[in-house]
Amino acid sequence: MLRVIGAESIDSLFEHLPENARLNRPLDIPPGKSEFEIVEHFRARGEENAIGYANFLGAGVYHHYRPVVCDVIVSRGEFLTSYTPYQAEIAQGTLTQIFEFQTMICQLTGMDVANASMYDGSSAVPEAAMMAVRATGRDKILVARTVHPEYREVLRTYARYQGMPVEEFGYDGETGEIDLNELEAKVDEHTAGVIIQSPNFFGIVEGVGNAAGIAHKKGALLIDIFTEAVALGLMEPPRQADIVAGELQSFAIPPSYGGPFAGIIATKEKFIRQIPGRLVGETKDANGKRAFCLTLSTREQHIRREKATSNICTNQALIALMATVYLSLYGKQGLRELAHQNLSKAHYLASKLPLKFQGRFFNEFVAQGNGRSVEAVNQDLLEKKIIGGLPLERYYPELKNTMLLCCTEMSRRNHMDELAEVFAK
Amino acid sequence: MYPENFHYTKEHEWVRVDAEVGVIGITDHAQKELGDIVYVDLPKVGTVAEQGKTLGSVESVKAVSDIYSPVSGEVVEINELLASAPEKLNEDPHGGAWLVKIKLSAPDEIKQLMSASDYQKYIGAE
Amino acid sequence: MEKKVRSHISQNEPLLFELSSPGKIGYQLPDLDVPAVDPEKALGAGQTRREIEDFPEVSEVDVIRHFTRLSTWNYGIDLGLFPLGSCTMKYNPRVNELVARTEGLAWIHPYQPESLSQGAMEIMAELERCLAEITGMDAVTLQPAAGAHGELTGVLLIRSLLESKGNPRRKIIVPDSAHGTNPATAMMAGYTVENLKSNDLGVVDPEALARAVDENTAALMVTNPNTVGVFEEEIVKVCEILHSKGALVYMDGANMNALVGISRPGDFGIDVMHLNLHKTFSTPHGGGGPGSGAVAAKKHLEPFLPGPRLARKGSQWTWNYDLPRSIGRVRAYYGNFGVLVRALAYIMAHGGPGLRRATMDAVLNANYIRRRLEAHYHLAYKSPCMHEVVFGDDHQAKRGVKTGDIAKRLIDYGFHPYTVSFPLIVHGALMIEPTETESKQEIDLFCDSLIAIAEEVERDPQMVLKAPHTTRTARVDEVSAARRPVVRWRREPAQSKAAD
């Protein structure tokens, strides 16, 4: 190869690099390791984390069982090692699957259009807010304090320099639902979008229709967020919302210390040109056969550059594939049964604990510590190999000595009983 | 090809003046450069356009091209046909696929635009 | 052509919704070990749905066959060379997939106690250290989910630093060869964008730059090597020009595969950059994601990094949330951890010497392709190339054949096309990046194919214009798709009974 190139050595291919831009020493990274050593290394790191614990943490990341078939499919090299399907003729596998994914997200959310996925639920929130700003020509965003606290932080980071003021509104201390009066008082003719989450961060089901009514009266859009996608299997879809954004981690994506996950944005037909991210559309090939391709790309950065709807480029295709496989396996009947199991388990545990809020909940709820601190409860639980709930005071200073607990189909009755016993001690 | 009674811009728009209203479109040369047009984004009726400022945009599959207003004034009508049939812009750019009508606020601006023969020379040289 | 492709069985397959029949299932759940709750009572009437209309109803075998059939309609690195320029489509080692699925790594919750997350935190700390060493930077955040997300993080860092000095400034300069994400990002951070024309060597012209930089300039966003595969030889001077006016330099690290072990951005004056772990560090592209856009920055930007930050408390790792000057979070939790595990596994497998070797092989491969094809395709720039080479379709365009057509014909020869029509500064660009993965045999097959196509263009341009000819799907009508978007499946209205 060097002879064809006409170079004396590979080093000579770098001779044109200026001397002061070259690294004149080896990298301080140990020499390469064998496959066996690498497997051993990561196994050892894994053992330093919690293995074999029952887990009652939710708060945006859920322990759901992952059917074996999901990994079988995503491990196929044709999916795993392919690229963004710009060359439609040799990417029909990915394109067809994304079309199916978009359809299922629409079916679940009651929307007309869903994109091919976002980085995650948290970054989908500011993207949805920016979308509302484009669609309404207004600038202000109102966000409920019952939206995941870290999602709100992400929204603030994105919003700061975009001339998009973000204001929060509170919740009802009795029910844990958003405070509709405060929302009504704060929404005005500058409000582009109102963001709520349902089930909210406390697990409480919000009245999407009521919030939408208030937003729409002032010409603002309602953006509904979800973090627990399994709830969509049983709950009425948020049809009154204008934009639905959420996190699909529950659909076969391992918790994996917080990522990679997959977010989505779905919306009504009339906002299709405002949606960020990739979209797959149906068309025909030169022989008249059904085919799929990326479409409406002119919204995107690689064409519109500084005028794009977003700078987003990468999506979470492989993760969205996992979710697609998962949803096909569970299907119409299974997703409902799965959601029902989650609901039943959470209500079983909740029935044994003092609850902070009276609102209706799906698979998460807030328990109020009685006597002992919730941190002490969690410490005792660890000895029984149980990871308890998330203490909320750090995120909500007013919610002293409370914890957010979550049950899924993987939660066992004996662990729930043990948790309740320790809690009551 | 290029009607004599139109006035042309360097950005490939045309305007035809009927009394105080200017009918605006893009030129045949522009539609050919863009290729198959898939979407036309037009301003709302009532928008006040300014000569040389963005009025809307025209999209092909892989490109977006801004439309610059050849004249100043209020948009009084938009061509609704283009929303459902953007391909008309490829088929009839100087006729049925006009974009907007603007009530001229500064009719003298027309004098700054090119005649059909100047425009043809201009695109020949481009 | 027969060296790589032959006709092969390709099965048709309906959509899942068309495949469904009522009552079919593909799941099992254990029996409920607690009392069943009535959903209507628990959630409220009107809050529960009867059914998910038209949702799939298929069996496990249906699912396996469906997705396996779909997979055969795809091209992947596992099938051969994938020469997308600036995308760095290198082999994805399977051991990385295995270790990312290790139970103790895949099943940890981001909020579980730090004492039970030490292994995960150690992995992140080690990766931060390696990436800082590779880039010559002082601090790394692993939070951004992808390249463009990293860019936004980096530009927000710049903005925060300038703001802390009293003036965030107004504009960001972006060379015309840049990725579209750069200007889009600058806008999202509240800056205006000034495009800078490249000179006839395809690089930033220091004199033109010096004229453009003023006290309103916040930063330059530069890609090095740039998108025509050329190392910015004046990069040290370029950085000095910015710094002398109090502005900063952001580097898009998309092309870092040309530099690892050879040259470090931190040493040539860059203030902040992102890395695409799914490019340089081999985590799978997976049909478009997930990625990871780690950001590496110099000391003066460290206080502004998104939180939480890893910190040492005694012998333990802890998350530090006390970061008063931080730009704030750019996403929930800590980053795409599963991707980080794979990237660290890649780095460990190569080691320092292996990483350098990979860079050298990547550059060797690109130069070999350049030499073999330059007699047949118009070489856009004579400057020496690094890990990718860009040609223009000038010769072929004379016969009415454009880069997109050549790309489609390449599919017939069994290869994924190169990057088409980018960078914009090269008319009709063919942007080719082979990576270190490819052997001489595969590269020769690829070059032979492109040379054969160049001959076909002379002999029978019509045939090339109609390519691909061998795929199960012929050329796709993207125009109709965009004119009347159909972005979801819907059941066709039932045929009337009378018609049966």
Side-chain angles (χ1 to χ4, degrees):
Chain A
M1 290 170 89
L2 285 168
R3 202 176 55 242
V4 172
I5 296 170
E8 278 174 18
S9 64
I10 304 185
D11 282 320
S12 69
L13 298 174
F14 295 91
E15 269 168 9
H16 65 287
L17 267 62
E19 188 55 40
N20 53 3
R22 273 195 249 175
L23 180 66
N24 298 317
R25 60 165 176 83
L27 285 173
D28 180 20
I29 293 173
K33 293 194 162 47
S34 69
E35 187 172 303
F36 168 69
E37 291 166 294
I38 287 168
V39 172
E40 284 291 289
H41 176 83
F42 285 97
R43 187 173 294 152
R45 294 292 79 74
E47 279 163 11
E48 291 159 12
N49 302 323
I51 295 184
Y53 283 72
N55 198 321
F56 289 92
L57 284 168
V61 180
Y62 305 92
H63 279 69
H64 289 293
Y65 179 72
R66 305 181 61 236
V68 173
V69 171
C70 297
D71 266 352
V72 170
I73 299 298
V74 299
S75 300
R76 284 191 69 90
E78 300 90 333
F79 285 125
L80 184 75
T81 75
S82 64
Y83 190 69
T84 307
Y86 291 123
Q87 296 293 338
E89 294 83 358
I90 46 170
Q92 284 298 308
T94 295
L95 287 163
T96 307
Q97 169 262 314
I98 294 174
F99 187 77
E100 292 176 331
F101 171 82
Q102 290 173 180
T103 303
M104 285 196 256
I105 298 303
C106 290
Q107 291 166 336
L108 286 172
T109 57
M111 295 286 118
D112 304 316
V113 183
N115 69 10
S117 72
M118 309 294 290
Y119 303 141
D120 73 335
S122 70
S123 61
V125 174
E127 293 281 359
M130 284 151 57
M131 196 180 147
V133 167
R134 288 192 297 274
T136 59
R138 301 172 172 191
D139 62 355
K140 205 173 93 180
I141 297 294
L142 276 175
V143 59
R145 283 190 74 224
T146 50
V147 170
H148 194 306
E150 294 194 3
Y151 284 28
R152 282 182 282 134
E153 280 186 52
V154 175
L155 174 65
R156 280 196 292 271
T157 306
Y158 271 69
R160 190 170 306 147
Y161 301 115
Q162 297 201 37
M164 184 166 82
V166 174
E167 197 183 343
E168 299 195 339
F169 62 100
Y171 58 91
D172 182 318
E174 290 291 308
T175 62
E177 295 167 12
I178 53 169
D179 183 340
L180 291 171
N181 294 328
E182 192 180 342
L183 170 61
E184 189 143 29
K186 284 187 169 166
V187 64
D188 61 24
E189 63 283 357
H190 300 293
T191 310
V194 173
I195 306 178
I196 64 166
Q197 177 181 324
S198 184
N200 69 23
F201 190 66
F202 307 139
I204 307 280
V205 178
E206 299 278 15
V208 178
N210 294 339
I214 293 171
H216 291 161
K217 213 157 57 190
K218 287 284 165 68
L221 304 189
L222 185 82
I223 301 168
D224 181 39
I225 309 293
F226 63 86
T227 60
E228 173 49 293
V230 166
L232 295 167
L234 196 55
M235 284 178 48
E236 184 61 14
R239 288 197 182 86
Q240 305 92 334
D242 302 284
I243 304 171
V244 178
E247 170 59 63
L248 300 185
Q249 181 269 328
S250 291
F251 295 156
I253 301 151
S256 203
Y257 207 43
F261 297 162
I264 57 104
I265 290 187
T267 189
K268 301 271 168 72
E269 187 85 50
K270 61 180 167 184
F271 301 123
I272 187 169
R273 288 184 179 271
Q274 305 302 341
I275 203 168
R278 293 168 185 155
L279 272 178
V280 168
E282 183 182 328
T283 184
K284 288 188 163 44
D285 75 356
N287 300 325
K289 274 176 35 186
R290 176 167 69 186
F292 300 94
C293 64
L294 289 172
T295 194
L296 303 186
S297 311
T298 45
R299 299 164 295 115
E300 295 181 63
Q301 47 74 28
H302 64 276
I303 292 175
R304 208 174 277 243
R305 298 174 79 85
E306 65 266 27
K307 291 180 185 160
T309 51
S310 165
N311 73 343
I312 193 166
C313 180
T314 299
N315 64 357
Q316 303 285 104
L318 200 71
I319 310 285
L321 172 63
M322 259 185 217
T324 309
V325 177
Y326 182 87
L327 292 174
S328 338
L329 287 167
Y330 273 99
K332 190 186 251 186
Q333 184 180 325
L335 200 62
R336 189 183 171 87
E337 189 180 335
L338 176 71
H340 184 240
Q341 286 211 357
N342 277 257
L343 180 80
S344 300
K345 300 242 185 184
H347 281 74
Y348 175 78
L349 179 60
S351 70
K352 294 170 171 284
L353 300 174
L355 298 189
K356 173 71 190 166
F357 300 117
Q358 271 100 60
R360 299 173 188 277
F361 61 94
F362 176 62
N363 70 349
E364 288 178 273
F365 57 89
V366 179
Q368 175 74 59
N370 46 355
R372 281 195 312 154
S373 79
V374 290
E375 285 79 10
V377 171
N378 275 342
Q379 205 52 48
D380 287 356
L381 285 170
L382 286 180
E383 277 161 33
K384 296 183 176 295
K385 287 212 127 189
I386 294 174
I387 295 174
L390 178 71
L392 287 182
E393 194 176 339
R394 204 176 95 209
Y395 306 96
Y396 298 90
E398 71 276 18
L399 295 181
K400 299 211 182 327
N401 208 28
T402 57
M403 66 160 76
L404 177 65
L405 287 150
C406 173
C407 297
T408 70
E409 75 284 3
M410 290 172 82
S411 310
R412 294 212 175 130
R413 183 173 185 151
N414 58 322
H415 292 134
M416 294 192 259
D417 291 341
E418 272 185 273
L419 189 152
E421 268 170 42
V422 171
F423 205 96
K425 251 203 297 203
Chain B
M1 178 85 266
Y2 292 94
E4 292 293 337
N5 59 332
F6 285 16
H7 307 272
Y8 299 87
T9 69
K10 287 186 173 168
E11 287 80 29
H12 312 289
E13 292 88 14
W14 55 260
V15 55
R16 186 188 80 224
V17 181
D18 283 342
E20 67 270 27
V21 172
V23 182
I24 287 153
I26 63 166
T27 66
D28 185 62
H29 175 79
Q31 71 81 12
K32 277 199 192 115
E33 283 289 300
L34 275 161
D36 294 314
I37 289 162
V38 299
Y39 184 68
V40 185
D41 186 25
L42 296 176
K44 286 197 180 81
V45 169
T47 306
V48 178
E50 210 181 312
Q51 188 181 37
K53 294 280 160 63
T54 313
L55 190 60
S57 60
V58 180
E59 298 181 10
S60 64
V61 170
K62 293 204 166 90
V64 187
S65 195
D66 281 333
I67 307 162
Y68 299 94
S69 189
V71 290
S72 304
E74 188 189 330
V75 177
V76 291
E77 193 181 340
I78 65 167
N79 190 348
E80 305 281 355
L81 170 75
L82 298 175
S84 57
E87 58 273 22
K88 290 282 183 243
L89 208 41
N90 291 116
E91 294 159 10
D92 192 14
H94 296 161
W98 56 274
L99 303 173
V100 296
K101 294 184 183 174
I102 289 180
K103 188 164 188 291
L104 305 186
S105 61
D108 278 358
E109 285 172 346
I110 298 290
K111 292 181 187 149
Q112 299 160 28
L113 305 178
M114 282 180 277
S115 68
S117 62
D118 285 348
Y119 179 69
Q120 266 164 302
K121 262 183 242 152
Y122 170 70
I123 56 177
E126 197 183 32
Chain C
M1 226 169 100
E2 291 218 343
K3 277 186 181 162
K4 189 139 188 270
V5 276
R6 296 272 301 172
S7 59
H8 184 271
I9 287 176
S10 163
Q11 302 190 50
N12 292 324
E13 177 70 4
L15 297 178
L16 281 165
F17 317 101
E18 299 159 342
L19 202 64
S20 293
S21 34
K24 247 192 185 184
I25 59 164
Y27 74 100
Q28 306 124 24
L29 279 166
D31 292 339
L32 197 55
D33 61 358
V34 298
V37 166
D38 177 358
E40 290 262 327
K41 279 200 189 124
L43 296 169
Q47 284 283 22
T48 58
R49 72 196 303 168
R50 292 269 163 272
E51 63 165 357
I52 311 166
E53 218 172 302
D54 290 329
F55 218 57
E57 292 179 273
V58 290
S59 71
E60 182 173 323
V61 178
D62 290 338
V63 171
I64 285 271
R65 289 204 177 134
H66 175 75
F67 289 103
T68 302
R69 285 173 186 157
L70 295 195
S71 78
T72 64
W73 305 347
N74 265 5
Y75 187 92
I77 304 159
D78 284 2
L79 283 162
L81 185 139
F82 211 123
L84 279 176
S86 277
C87 298
T88 313
M89 298 295 285
K90 58 170 75 179
Y91 171 63
N92 307 132
R94 288 313 197 277
V95 64
N96 302 356
E97 296 305 304
L98 180 96
V99 297
R101 286 174 170 81
T102 303
E103 190 195 348
L105 301 181
W107 282 95
I108 38 175
H109 193 287
Y111 293 146
Q112 70 190 38
E114 286 175 358
S115 60
L116 292 174
S117 311
Q118 289 296 306
M121 295 165 96
E122 173 68 28
I123 286 169
M124 294 181 75
E126 179 61 11
L127 183 61
E128 283 188 6
R129 192 195 74 79
C130 288
L131 298 181
E133 166 66 9
I134 287 166
T135 55
M137 295 288 184
D138 300 312
V140 172
T141 174
L142 302 172
Q143 204 177 93
H149 206 207
E151 286 176 31
L152 178 64
T153 307
V155 174
L156 290 177
L157 294 176
I158 289 171
R159 185 160 188 133
S160 295
L161 174 69
L162 291 173
E163 218 163 51
S164 76
K165 291 181 173 172
N167 179 5
R169 303 187 174 201
R170 286 206 298 273
K171 73 174 183 191
I172 285 188
I173 300 174
V174 180
D176 53 6
S177 59
H179 296 112
T181 50
N182 294 175
T185 298
M187 290 298 289
M188 284 177 77
Y191 285 111
T192 58
V193 175
E194 183 170 318
N195 284 301
L196 184 71
K197 223 170 127 47
S198 303
N199 69 12
D200 50 13
L201 297 170
V203 297
V204 172
D205 178 354
E207 279 166 28
L209 178 70
R211 282 194 299 276
V213 178
D214 56 26
E215 61 285 354
N216 281 323
T217 308
L220 168 76
M221 292 182 87
V222 65
T223 308
N224 191 25
N226 64 15
T227 56
V228 293
V230 175
F231 190 90
E232 296 278 351
E233 290 184 31
E234 301 278 10
I235 189 69
V236 176
K237 198 167 167 190
V238 163
C239 294
E240 280 168 8
I241 290 169
L242 272 297
H243 292 155
S244 72
K245 291 276 171 71
L248 287 87
V249 187
Y250 183 91
M251 188 176 120
D252 181 327
N255 292 340
M256 195 63 197
N257 210 43
L259 300 186
V260 176
I262 302 280
S263 173
R264 305 196 310 169
D267 295 341
F268 56 68
I270 303 297
D271 297 287
V272 52
M273 66 179 292
H274 77 263
L275 293 159
N276 302 84
L277 301 188
H278 48 290
K279 296 180 181 177
T280 318
F281 300 97
S282 90
T283 73
H285 277 75
S292 176
V295 167
K298 285 280 179 61
K299 202 84 198 157
H300 51 287
L301 289 163
E302 188 175 2
F304 305 98
L305 287 171
R309 305 271 307 141
L310 277 172
R312 207 69 183 154
K313 197 157 95 188
S315 61
Q316 299 274 297
W317 288 110
T318 183
W319 286 111
N320 176 19
Y321 290 85
D322 183 21
L323 304 160
R325 303 174 78 189
S326 165
I327 60 165
R329 285 180 173 281
V330 294
R331 59 158 290 169
Y333 320 115
Y334 320 111
N336 278 348
F337 178 74
V339 177
L340 308 178
V341 170
R342 290 169 173 89
L344 183 61
Y346 171 88
I347 290 171
M348 288 177 63
H350 281 71
L355 289 170
R356 182 184 157 88
R357 179 78 210 190
T359 304
M360 295 175 82
D361 286 348
V363 173
L364 173 69
N365 283 349
N367 275 281
Y368 180 75
I369 290 174
R370 169 182 158 129
R371 183 77 186 139
R372 281 213 58 200
L373 295 180
E374 66 185 354
H376 308 273
Y377 291 87
H378 172 72
L379 186 61
Y381 293 100
K382 307 290 175 223
S383 322
C385 80
M386 298 288 282
H387 68 307
E388 63 191 3
V389 55
V390 181
F391 297 97
D393 63 9
D394 308 44
H395 303 331
Q396 290 73 28
K398 287 184 193 128
R399 306 280 292 166
V401 177
K402 295 190 174 156
T403 175
D405 305 310
I406 300 164
K408 296 296 184 200
R409 182 63 182 148
L410 194 53
I411 293 172
D412 283 334
Y413 283 82
F415 291 99
H416 192 281
Y418 43 78
T419 295
V420 177
S421 301
F422 187 87
L424 305 174
I425 57 168
V426 176
H427 193 268
L430 296 74
M431 186 196 206
I432 301 171
E433 177 182 2
T435 82
E436 72 278 12
T437 293
E438 303 307 329
S439 65
K440 182 171 179 296
Q441 286 92 326
E442 184 81 2
I443 289 176
D444 276 332
L445 263 179
F446 173 73
C447 293
D448 293 346
S449 304
L450 270 175
I451 292 167
I453 295 169
E455 285 161 7
E456 286 170 353
V457 170
E458 294 304 316
R459 217 172 47 238
D460 187 2
Q462 278 309 313
M463 188 272 292
V464 178
L465 287 170
K466 291 204 181 99
H469 301 279
T470 57
T471 48
R472 70 177 301 284
T473 301
R475 222 181 259 208
V476 166
D477 182 2
E478 296 183 352
V479 172
S480 301
R483 278 184 182 155
R484 284 163 197 82
V486 178
V487 295
R488 61 168 294 190
W489 178 86
R490 284 185 202 269
R491 181 173 298 286
E492 281 176 31
Q495 307 249 315
S496 75
K497 286 267 183 270
D500 288 344

